[in-house]
Amino acid sequence: MRRRRLRALVLLPTVLAAAVLAAAPPAAAGGGCHRPATEGRGTTLALAELCFSPNVLRVAPGSEVTIVNRDTLTHPLGRPGGEWAWEGNVGDRVTVRLGGDGVYPFFCYAHPGMVAVVVAGDGRGVGTGV
């Protein structure tokens, strides 16, 4: 009898946690952008509603790109390899100069799936120099 009660006490919180997470909207569960990918040209990446806008930004080699947090949440951003990071507080902006041709991925540490890529020139370079 004691074992059954102990098993129920252990199982009940697990089932309740799973039910809460299953019912939560993706943003509350820690997910990132849940919209189709967008592509654009220009020099600005905006952060809004847990998405980069656009997700793919095409620029000329050597361009400066401004990232603006227009969301109601902080979005700490980084690049693979840890060569660049930004706190991403609400209302803040940062400008980065991209080295040459290449692909420059960016991601939010706090919201998995919130990613963007800046393609400079033909995108065939190594994407360094942020």
Side-chain angles (χ1 to χ4, degrees):
M1 188 70 156
R2 266 180 129 177
R3 277 197 148 170
R4 239 187 229 166
R5 191 175 297 171
L6 181 60
R7 218 181 280 160
L9 286 174
V10 170
L11 187 58
L12 182 62
T14 305
V15 170
L16 288 174
V20 167
L21 284 176
C33 189
H34 296 282
R35 288 188 248 155
T38 57
E39 186 173 336
R41 293 189 179 275
T43 58
T44 302
L45 275 176
L47 310 174
E49 299 177 0
L50 297 172
C51 295
F52 281 90
S53 181
N55 301 104
V56 178
L57 179 67
R58 296 189 180 276
V59 301
S63 292
E64 286 188 347
V65 173
T66 301
I67 303 170
V68 182
N69 187 352
R70 296 181 181 149
D71 212 338
T72 57
L73 301 167
T74 295
H75 292 294
L77 302 184
R79 288 197 9 92
E83 65 186 58
W84 179 86
W86 178 55
E87 285 184 33
N89 293 316
V90 175
D92 283 356
R93 64 180 51 227
V94 66
T95 300
V96 295
R97 179 177 296 279
L98 306 178
D101 285 354
V103 176
Y104 298 82
F106 293 87
F107 64 91
C108 177
Y109 285 103
H111 304 105
M114 187 174 169
V115 297
V117 65
V118 179
V119 179
D122 62 13
R124 294 186 182 174
V126 294
T128 62
V130 170

